[in-house]
Amino acid sequence: MRKILLAEDDPNLGEILKDYLELKGKFDVKLCQDGEEALRAFGREDFDLCILDVMMPKKDGFSLGKEIRRVNEAIPIIFATAKGMMEDKTEAFNLGGDDYITKPFRVEELLLRINALLKRSSQQDRTTEEELPVNFDLGEYHFDYTTQLISRYGQQQKLSTKEAELLRMLCLKKNDVLTREEALIKIWHDDNYFNGRSMDVFLSKLRKYLRDDPKVEIVNVHGKGYKLLVG
């Protein structure tokens, strides 16, 4: 079942949309009534699409969308607002919004837009995943993401699933910064303190596995994240 994050501060409208989308669209809908609550929910759970009301207390929809985009560049976002000004539509798309709907709108139209975006997103996800490499040469090491194995001169090290996911993210950004927040959201689905400590343990293990080649190093980038350096 596809999961939707619905951020809407009008409780009546929010419940109407939630009930309709769950009944007619067969979606699992998480309703939040302000932007901060929605951002916390996004950090805790996996969603397939976001519907963000622009005019919300605590954190408006545009600010929320911007923060969501920082950690997930691909998730479809629909902005909903009573404001139909061209400036607002321009800002919505400049922030990475995929669609914009002006209140009042028919819930049937919203459902059509959701289905169209999810169909397009699924096709893009399949293409992107198929195009991402699964084999990486790291100095004297070879990393096979599919088998979760690091090899060097005939010796092999089996990785756990999280170790393999983390090393792959580092490999895909080789010699570039992988932000701490991006890794935590992608692998642990929440960037809280305890998950951060857990990731530190996994990084220590990866450094140990790669320590025999001085040309390969995982370094901390202060205030940002990590970088896999391969000489």
Side-chain angles (χ1 to χ4, degrees):
M1 183 180 291
R2 296 296 192 95
K3 193 164 187 177
I4 292 176
L5 175 62
L6 172 60
E8 171 56 63
D9 67 322
D10 182 332
N12 293 326
L13 177 58
E15 288 296 336
I16 290 171
L17 294 176
K18 175 178 164 60
D19 290 346
Y20 183 87
L21 294 176
E22 290 181 338
L23 179 64
K24 297 294 185 180
K26 308 300 181 186
F27 297 116
D28 180 8
V29 180
K30 173 71 174 181
L31 174 61
C32 300
Q33 294 188 350
D34 66 66
E36 290 185 356
E37 180 189 356
L39 185 60
R40 289 193 298 270
F42 186 81
R44 290 192 305 266
E45 305 174 43
D46 287 329
F47 294 97
D48 298 290
L49 181 141
C50 300
I51 304 170
L52 311 180
D53 180 32
V54 172
M55 302 297 290
M56 286 190 297
K58 297 185 179 180
K59 187 184 294 291
D60 66 85
F62 287 149
S63 299
L64 174 59
K66 186 175 182 180
E67 296 204 37
I68 288 174
R69 270 287 171 262
R70 282 201 303 122
V71 297
N72 190 322
E73 297 179 354
I75 188 168
I77 297 177
I78 299 175
F79 288 104
T81 180
K83 299 160 66 177
M85 295 173 61
M86 181 56 67
E87 292 83 359
D88 295 310
K89 293 183 180 181
T90 301
E91 184 171 2
F93 290 115
N94 285 342
L95 287 172
D98 297 274
D99 206 348
Y100 184 104
I101 192 165
T102 304
K103 299 177 181 177
F105 54 80
R106 293 175 60 87
V107 288
E108 295 88 352
E109 179 187 354
L110 177 62
L111 180 57
L112 288 172
R113 291 175 184 241
I114 290 171
N115 287 332
L117 284 175
L118 288 176
K119 182 179 180 180
R120 187 174 71 195
S121 176
S122 296
Q123 293 169 343
Q124 290 173 344
D125 287 346
R126 284 195 298 270
T127 301
T128 301
E129 189 61 30
E130 290 170 0
E131 291 175 350
L132 288 177
V134 294
N135 288 284
F136 304 90
D137 290 314
L138 309 171
E140 297 173 358
Y141 294 96
H142 179 79
F143 169 46
D144 186 330
Y145 171 73
T146 304
T147 61
Q148 299 180 195
L149 287 173
I150 296 176
S151 305
R152 179 178 178 267
Y153 299 144
Q155 295 184 329
Q156 294 183 329
Q157 173 66 53
K158 180 70 173 180
L159 303 184
S160 70
T161 299
K162 278 190 169 61
E163 288 170 350
E165 290 286 352
L166 184 55
L167 182 54
R168 189 192 196 194
M169 292 188 74
L170 287 163
C171 288
L172 291 171
K173 293 207 168 187
K174 185 175 66 174
N175 295 324
D176 198 1
V177 176
L178 170 66
T179 67
R180 185 176 179 87
E181 185 179 45
E182 181 181 356
L184 284 170
I185 294 295
K186 175 72 173 179
I187 301 173
W188 278 266
H189 310 298
D190 194 337
D191 60 348
N192 65 44
Y193 171 80
F194 299 103
N195 287 338
R197 297 297 295 168
S198 175
M199 185 169 70
D200 290 339
V201 173
F202 283 95
L203 282 165
S204 295
K205 290 182 178 180
L206 291 177
R207 289 186 175 110
K208 181 180 177 181
Y209 300 150
L210 300 170
R211 66 186 176 184
D212 291 329
D213 186 350
K215 295 181 181 179
V216 180
E217 186 180 9
I218 299 173
V219 299
N220 292 338
V221 180
H222 182 69
K224 295 183 178 179
Y226 313 95
K227 185 182 291 189
L228 174 62
L229 298 177
V230 181

